[in-house]
Amino acid sequence: MSRKSPLITVMAAAADKAARSLLRDFNEVENLQVSRKGTNDFVTAADLRAEQVLKDELSRARPGFGFLTEESKPVPAKDGQNRWIIDPLDGTLNFIHSVPQFCISIGVETDGELTAGIVFDPLRDELFWAERGEGAWVNQRRLRCSKRERLADCLIAHGRARSEEPGDQERLLAQMGYVMRHTRDLRRMGSAALDLCYVGAGRYDGFWEEGLKPWDIAAGIIIAQEAGVYITDTSGGPVSVKTGSVLAGNPNIHSQLHKALAGR
Ligand code: 2AM
Ligand code: CA
């Protein structure tokens, strides 16, 4: 059933309101692009504005929930159970450069387990949403991951969350080189939250990235999992928002991708 629960409805409404603020600011960034002044400070302010809207809306709707957000200090749960894990702007570098690929990500953790998530792409008006055991959706359409079986047929996404040690860089380049040679192609679009949703939607067949933060991936993980995607960390162990390491793939290719990356 594609009927949204009260919880998902609350999350979608908050994201919608924050998105209006982000879209106004995105238009402004497009104008600033032609000026020589940096846009970083402006985008930081946009990020903070969106986060404040989300916190106001969500705390009004669910006063007992705690918060873990990108831009401010964690707030413990008054109900001792639930917290929001929020990225008000995932794809910040794209936003700064006025590349139209970014989103708002809101996950819910209950007793330490991911239980719900939404990822909203305001430019395409795509709302990805999922609750544990209830399936994943984009707007009113059910999400299902792809069924491709051969790595050679797959489109694989990748991101690099932060600059790494020189040795890590070499490994990363070797992994990217392998994927570029042995799959249909590699994509690096710059929003881990959307990348995970796209694997859920069958647009990508797999995705890997390390060095991420809980708010980059909390919502994307549950959405992808509910769409049938198999997710581990990059060493093949259980995925967790804490390690920030993600290897996602349709169940046919996940282990092939893991083997390919682990060998580099
Ligand atoms: P951001 O846009 O909110 O910064 C791109 O590879 C992905 O990595 C994005 O989801 C991006 O989130 C995230 N990212 C970029 N820099 C990061 C950092 N220093 N730590 C964790 N995640 C980061
Ligand atoms: Ca992020």
Side-chain angles (χ1 to χ4, degrees):
M1 261 256 298
S2 72
R3 175 99 58 88
K4 296 186 184 75
S5 68
L7 180 67
I8 296 285
T9 304
V10 158
M11 295 157 79
D16 203 52
K17 192 160 181 194
R20 270 177 262 150
S21 159
L22 274 187
L23 287 177
R24 270 195 304 274
D25 289 331
F26 189 65
N27 283 332
E28 195 55 36
V29 171
E30 288 186 313
N31 295 332
L32 289 174
Q33 229 43 255
V34 290
S35 83
R36 252 195 281 168
K37 279 201 231 139
T39 50
N40 289 30
D41 290 350
F42 178 82
V43 173
T44 303
D47 212 342
L48 290 171
R49 273 192 286 275
E51 177 163 315
Q52 198 54 53
V53 173
L54 292 172
K55 287 182 97 171
D56 290 348
E57 294 296 307
L58 294 172
S59 49
R60 191 173 321 136
R62 292 289 185 280
F65 284 29
F67 284 92
L68 179 66
T69 65
E70 176 154 27
E71 303 298 335
S72 47
K73 275 200 294 196
V75 178
K78 292 193 198 84
D79 68 6
Q81 251 197 321
N82 295 289
R83 68 171 176 174
W84 307 109
I85 304 182
I86 296 178
D87 194 343
L89 172 57
D90 189 53
T92 313
L93 188 60
N94 286 335
F95 200 95
I96 290 169
H97 286 259
S98 53
V99 174
Q101 177 80 355
F102 60 85
C103 65
I104 292 168
S105 172
I106 308 173
V108 179
E109 215 179 49
T110 307
D111 297 325
E113 300 287 329
L114 292 173
T115 49
I118 67 124
V119 170
F120 183 44
D121 172 350
L123 292 168
R124 294 184 182 80
D125 203 17
E126 285 192 319
L127 178 74
F128 297 89
W129 51 283
E131 275 183 281
R132 184 67 70 206
E134 302 292 327
W137 310 80
V138 57
N139 298 337
Q140 298 306 310
R141 191 157 49 83
R142 184 83 192 246
L143 282 189
R144 307 238 185 244
C145 66
S146 76
K147 294 194 162 55
R148 290 187 186 88
E149 293 180 343
R150 285 159 19 100
L151 216 43
D153 298 328
C154 289
L155 187 59
I156 304 294
H158 164 60
R160 195 192 68 170
R162 57 178 107 184
S163 59
E164 292 158 52
E165 297 301 309
D168 286 351
Q169 299 265 18
E170 291 311 312
R171 188 173 57 95
L172 195 67
L173 290 170
Q175 289 176 330
M176 285 168 53
Y178 181 90
V179 169
M180 287 168 80
R181 282 192 297 274
H182 293 88
T183 68
R184 282 301 293 274
D185 209 347
L186 178 67
R187 290 285 180 274
R188 291 163 53 86
M189 297 290 280
S191 160
L194 283 174
D195 289 340
L196 284 165
C197 291
Y198 282 20
V199 182
R203 297 172 184 175
Y204 298 144
D205 305 287
F207 164 69
W208 90 99
E209 181 160 355
E210 291 174 344
L212 292 157
K213 298 288 185 192
W215 43 81
D216 299 322
I217 50 178
I221 287 174
I222 184 165
I223 291 165
Q225 285 176 331
E226 286 293 320
V229 177
Y230 193 50
I231 312 187
T232 62
D233 66 15
T234 52
S235 59
V239 70
S240 143
V241 297
K242 293 193 198 90
T243 61
S245 156
V246 174
L247 173 60
N250 86 36
N252 299 327
I253 63 101
H254 180 280
S255 71
Q256 295 174 56
L257 185 59
H258 175 236
K259 270 191 214 114
L261 298 173
R264 297 318 87 208

